[in-house]
Amino acid sequence: LRITRVTRNLDGKMNIIFNSMADSEYAIDISTDMSEWQELTDGLVGEAETTTYTHASPDRAARTLFYRVRQLGAAPQE
């Protein structure tokens, strides 16, 4: 599990692309210093091979932003 690419759209949104497995749940965290982390989302259901999460409102004043992905487990079946 790792982030393979991070891109910024023209409108400032960040796309975080990571390798994933279909039907597994993931969480995305953000940090400015890699010491304190804040969860952006959880319960993100992965797609086969790669998943993209769009961070809609990143702090544009932050000099550096760090992202990490955590696998939470299998997504609940309906």
Side-chain angles (χ1 to χ4, degrees):
L1 177 65
R2 70 183 185 109
I3 294 174
T4 56
R5 198 163 141 203
V6 177
T7 60
R8 184 184 295 267
N9 297 338
L10 294 175
D11 59 4
K13 296 176 182 176
M14 302 293 285
N15 291 319
I16 297 100
I17 302 159
F18 59 97
N19 60 347
S20 59
M21 295 184 298
D23 300 324
S24 287
E25 278 191 69
Y26 299 91
I28 308 288
D29 302 328
I30 189 169
S31 176
T32 56
D33 61 7
M34 293 184 71
S35 294
E36 294 186 33
W37 292 89
Q38 178 182 4
E39 187 174 272
L40 290 175
T41 189
D42 65 355
L44 179 64
V45 178
E47 299 174 17
E49 297 187 31
T50 62
T51 298
T52 301
Y53 171 77
T54 301
H55 183 194
S57 56
D59 181 359
R60 292 179 183 228
R63 184 170 173 229
T64 307
L65 295 174
F66 299 96
Y67 294 95
R68 71 179 179 190
V69 177
R70 295 179 287 120
Q71 186 171 1
L72 301 177
Q77 300 296 315
E78 294 182 22

